Amino acid sequence: MENEDAKRPHRERESLVAERTRIVNRMKGCLARLGIRTFKPTLQRARDLLPTLRTPEGTPQPPNALAEMRRDLARLRLVEDQVREIEADRLERLNQAPDEKSHVMVRLLAQIIGVGIETADMLVREVLSRNLRDRRAVARHAGLTGAPDESGSKRREKGLARAGNARVRRGMIQLAWRFLMFQKESALVQWYRARTTDGRRGTRKSLIVAMARKLLIELWRFVTTGQAPAGVEMRSA
């Protein structure tokens, strides 16, 4: 029960971030119908700027549309406050019990440039703190292994098995793309670059999944044995 409860903060934050995106997109869609495309709902002064917006013809916004967007802004501020509250509570827990095993893992992962506290916390709670047997079990848990279709001597890959933790799978693929920006000298990025020199989109998409699988195994090895991935840059202590 404790392990499941520890997953609630980052899962709630994930749903809140998705709700924030929905609210922003809904507001932008409403304004686009009025011909207004430059307004950013996430600005601190958004509530004050909203009534001053004008259509391309110079007319003010319709009253019902304006009232709806004011309510959307209020919901957006509430969601943002709740996200900040979750993030502050997490940092407080990390500081209160720095020697707890899962907290040590989170801090260790967060030392890697490109890995934030949120990603580190999600990976530790969802997969890395589990007692997994070997690297194959780690990849299977995240659903980053293949799904071969075998019939006699024929063997055809049908793509990802998708039988594992979808949250970890999405997070690792996003982290793999970030690694291409922040860890350009790492062995994994060099491996990816060497195999995608043709620039084909299909090759890059399939190999980013393979890189995500390799990266997850390297991170699992890092938090269990202390062996850092080859060539990875770390933040200064």
Side-chain angles (χ1 to χ4, degrees):
M1 186 177 293
E2 291 180 1
N3 292 336
E4 288 300 316
D5 189 61
K7 299 176 183 178
R8 300 314 311 164
H10 73 261
R11 291 185 176 184
E12 181 187 3
R13 182 187 180 280
E14 183 181 21
S15 66
L16 287 172
V17 170
E19 177 62 21
R20 180 175 62 191
T21 302
R22 283 193 292 270
I23 294 172
V24 170
N25 289 343
R26 185 166 62 242
M27 292 190 66
K28 287 184 176 180
C30 182
L31 290 170
R33 287 192 292 270
L34 300 173
I36 303 171
R37 301 181 183 275
T38 58
F39 180 70
K40 296 182 178 180
T42 54
L43 291 175
Q44 290 291 331
R45 298 190 303 124
R47 188 175 183 84
D48 297 330
L49 293 175
L50 184 63
T52 66
L53 299 178
R54 295 292 183 269
T55 67
E57 293 78 16
T59 59
Q61 303 169 68
N64 289 332
L66 180 59
E68 177 187 353
M69 283 185 285
R70 279 176 170 161
R71 289 189 290 269
D72 279 338
L73 273 180
R75 281 192 288 270
L76 180 61
R77 297 293 171 259
L78 175 61
V79 169
E80 289 177 336
D81 289 343
Q82 291 178 342
V83 169
R84 284 192 289 268
E85 181 181 351
I86 291 172
E87 292 173 346
D89 288 345
R90 180 178 53 219
L91 290 177
E92 184 178 353
R93 287 193 300 271
L94 288 174
N95 293 329
Q96 287 179 348
D99 297 329
E100 185 179 328
K101 181 180 178 181
S102 60
H103 293 173
V104 172
M105 288 182 175
V106 171
R107 291 182 180 278
L108 199 61
L109 287 180
Q111 292 178 10
I112 300 175
I113 295 177
V115 180
I117 288 289
E118 175 59 31
T119 300
D121 185 66
M122 182 276 292
L123 291 175
V124 169
R125 302 299 181 185
E126 295 287 347
V127 60
L128 297 180
S129 61
R130 299 173 66 92
N131 187 23
L132 297 172
R133 183 178 64 255
D134 54 23
R135 60 189 182 87
R136 292 185 178 86
V138 174
R140 282 196 300 269
H141 183 79
L144 288 169
T145 54
D149 181 16
E150 298 182 275
S151 177
S153 61
K154 295 182 180 180
R155 188 177 191 275
R156 180 173 61 89
E157 282 290 342
K158 298 172 62 178
L160 287 179
R162 298 183 182 275
N165 190 314
R167 186 174 283 105
V168 175
R169 183 167 59 251
R170 290 193 303 268
M172 284 309 306
I173 291 175
Q174 292 170 3
L175 181 58
W177 286 116
R178 288 207 303 273
F179 249 59
L180 297 181
M181 294 189 296
F182 296 107
Q183 296 288 351
K184 296 180 180 180
E185 303 303 320
S186 66
L188 277 175
V189 172
Q190 296 299 323
W191 173 89
Y192 177 85
R193 297 292 188 196
R195 286 160 176 77
T196 55
T197 53
D198 57 6
R200 289 185 298 173
R201 181 178 177 83
T203 303
R204 290 188 289 114
K205 287 183 65 177
S206 60
L207 281 177
I208 200 68
V209 176
M211 179 179 164
R213 178 174 62 249
K214 289 176 175 289
L215 178 57
L216 178 59
I217 293 170
E218 291 288 342
L219 295 180
W220 169 72
R221 188 176 292 121
F222 181 39
V223 298
T224 53
T225 68
Q227 178 184 352
V232 166
E233 295 184 33
M234 311 290 286
R235 294 185 175 92
S236 57

